[in-house]
Amino acid sequence: MPPAREYATSTTPHRGDQSTMRASAIVSHQAVRERGGVRYDDGSTQARRGTGLRTGAADALPLHDRERRRGGDGQCVECSFDTIDHGHLREILRRRVLDGVLRRLIDKWLNAGVLEDGNITYPNSGSPQGGVISPILANIYLHEVLDTWFARDVKPRLKGKATLVRYADDATFLFEREQDALRVLDVLPKRFGKYGLTLHPEKTRIVDFRRPLFRALFARRNASWRPGTFDLLGFTHFWGKSSTGKTWTVRRSTAKGRFRRALRGVSEWCREHRHDDLHVQQQGLAQKLRGHFEYFGIPGNAKRLHRFLRYVQHAWRKWLSRRSQRAYIEWAQMHRLLKRYPLPQPRVSLSTPRAVNP
């Protein structure tokens, strides 16, 4: 009798399924666009052509940069939510995707079990892990649950201006008036509960984002009052002086958590590859730096970029010095090494790409 086989946990689709998913993602995306002229809202920036993380972060600027010049409370609500209910997702797909063959194929992926320690379980929520179809399904689901509801039912009932910026499961609401922010925050759990979603208790909060011009009116009444900031897609948004120093504008810098996580990843990479050839290490670090600068290289964030470069140089020197007991590198030697194996310098883009509605 052959020995019993050992099964590992498997949740990622097979390569053949991935190819089918990729084709289905294109077809379903096209079907959603053409279904009765349905279009994604401008505030939704995931899994859409011409959009990305930086476009989502850029959409948080206009309301509080231009509209706040008129006054108002200036509030923002940050929220994050979790898994997708299959029953509600199928109902939304029936309304938006007319191709029955495509819907049945998506149903098979949703019904696929998860193999763990030889046992198969069939979850009732979530989307195929590792599948290229997952971002499309999540965007369709949250577009109906949040984006359409906010534009159709919420905004007409508000007293001030408001906008929504969402990427994947992270969303930020921007309000002109505090009363509107409190009302929406009160009704959000009910709306999400209807569709099997819950708000993340630690990531859901109201931020006082008043323009500094109006802070002086409240500073005398409350000495402990401090300017509000909020994080969105790796950037910390805060009020700061413009380049001319005459006006206040919304500035962005690399969020502290994202900065530490990126630096920790580089340091770990240097530790694992410290025995590789220096040319190989230089190429790997250059690739990581270019990716970091490409995303975080926006106007006003140059200091953070140069600081990240310095920390990367420190991490590289640290792990090169630990290759052996005699491998310690002085800074004079490190400077000569950097001249021979230079790392990319920070590059700031002149403009931030805007989201386009396909």
Side-chain angles (χ1 to χ4, degrees):
M1 182 176 179
R5 296 182 179 179
E6 295 183 358
Y7 296 92
T9 302
S10 177
T11 60
T12 304
H14 186 266
R15 179 174 297 180
D17 292 336
Q18 288 281 21
S19 301
T20 308
M21 281 186 178
R22 187 174 293 107
S24 300
I26 298 174
V27 174
S28 61
H29 183 60
Q30 185 70 20
V32 169
R33 288 176 52 192
E34 297 178 352
R35 173 67 170 92
V38 175
R39 298 162 65 88
Y40 289 123
D41 292 335
D42 290 336
S44 172
T45 58
Q46 185 202 22
R48 293 168 47 203
R49 184 178 301 174
T51 66
L53 288 170
R54 273 184 56 173
T55 58
D59 285 338
L61 295 178
L63 180 70
H64 284 291
D65 198 10
R66 294 196 294 263
E67 299 297 340
R68 286 297 61 71
R69 296 175 185 176
R70 302 178 182 178
D73 296 329
Q75 307 290 324
C76 79
V77 177
E78 297 178 281
C79 66
S80 178
F81 26 86
D82 45 22
T83 55
I84 298 174
D85 181 77
H86 288 177
H88 291 294
L89 177 60
R90 291 189 179 95
E91 179 62 28
I92 293 174
L93 290 174
R94 276 194 292 269
R95 296 198 305 265
R96 302 196 61 176
V97 181
L98 298 179
D99 191 340
V101 176
L102 180 60
R103 291 204 308 268
R104 287 192 293 271
L105 184 59
I106 294 175
D107 282 340
K108 291 183 179 180
W109 286 322
L110 294 177
N111 292 329
V114 177
L115 180 62
E116 186 174 4
D117 297 330
N119 299 320
I120 300 179
T121 58
Y122 299 91
N124 296 321
S125 60
S127 56
Q129 295 296 317
V132 295
I133 194 70
S134 299
I136 297 293
L137 297 179
N139 212 27
I140 294 174
Y141 190 76
L142 295 175
H143 173 74
E144 290 291 329
V145 175
L146 185 61
D147 304 346
T148 302
W149 167 75
F150 183 76
R152 181 189 60 205
D153 300 331
V154 176
K155 293 182 69 173
R157 294 178 170 84
L158 302 179
K159 295 183 178 180
K161 293 182 178 294
T163 189
L164 164 65
V165 179
R166 178 179 64 82
Y167 186 90
D169 59 349
D170 290 322
T172 297
F173 298 85
L174 307 174
F175 298 95
E176 185 178 6
R177 305 203 175 274
E178 182 179 7
Q179 183 180 1
D180 293 338
L182 294 173
R183 290 176 58 192
V184 172
L185 185 60
D186 181 64
V187 76
L188 272 178
K190 303 175 184 176
R191 174 66 178 179
F192 290 158
K194 178 181 178 181
Y195 289 89
L197 300 174
T198 56
L199 287 171
H200 196 292
E202 297 180 359
K203 295 183 179 180
T204 305
R205 63 191 182 109
I206 293 183
V207 178
D208 188 348
F209 205 64
R210 282 190 287 257
R211 188 179 179 84
L213 179 61
F214 303 98
R215 290 174 181 169
L217 301 177
F218 303 92
R220 298 179 181 177
R221 304 177 187 177
N222 187 1
S224 61
W225 193 85
R226 291 292 182 273
T229 64
F230 67 94
D231 292 344
L232 177 64
L233 304 181
F235 290 96
T236 297
H237 295 66
F238 60 95
W239 285 104
K241 287 288 187 177
S242 64
S243 57
T244 60
K246 297 180 180 180
T247 60
W248 289 96
T249 183
V250 178
R251 307 294 295 271
R252 290 175 295 164
S253 65
T254 308
K256 294 181 179 179
R258 183 65 65 88
F259 187 91
R260 289 193 297 266
R261 187 161 68 249
L263 186 60
R264 192 183 310 119
V266 171
S267 180
E268 182 65 21
W269 186 91
C270 290
R271 184 186 69 83
E272 294 176 355
H273 296 268
R274 64 185 183 274
H275 295 292
D276 294 351
D277 184 76
L278 290 178
H279 179 67
V280 175
Q281 295 187 47
Q282 184 261 350
Q283 287 184 331
L285 290 175
Q287 184 178 9
K288 294 180 181 299
L289 285 171
R290 280 193 294 267
H292 186 88
F293 297 156
E294 181 68 23
Y295 181 73
F296 292 103
I298 61 174
N301 197 31
K303 291 183 179 180
R304 285 277 186 173
L305 299 182
H306 285 281
R307 183 182 302 176
F308 186 78
L309 175 60
R310 290 197 304 270
Y311 286 170
V312 169
Q313 293 173 349
H314 279 267
W316 195 17
R317 172 179 172 269
K318 169 186 175 181
W319 291 109
L320 287 178
S321 299
R322 296 189 179 185
R323 290 182 296 179
S324 66
Q325 294 180 352
R326 299 181 180 180
Y328 183 78
I329 298 178
E330 299 286 350
W331 269 111
Q333 296 175 275
M334 189 64 190
H335 290 317
R336 291 194 297 269
L337 186 146
L338 290 173
K339 288 183 179 180
R340 185 175 181 181
Y341 301 98
L343 297 178
Q345 295 299 309
R347 178 177 178 271
V348 176
S349 302
L350 296 180
S351 61
T352 302
R354 299 289 300 158
V356 292
N357 203 340

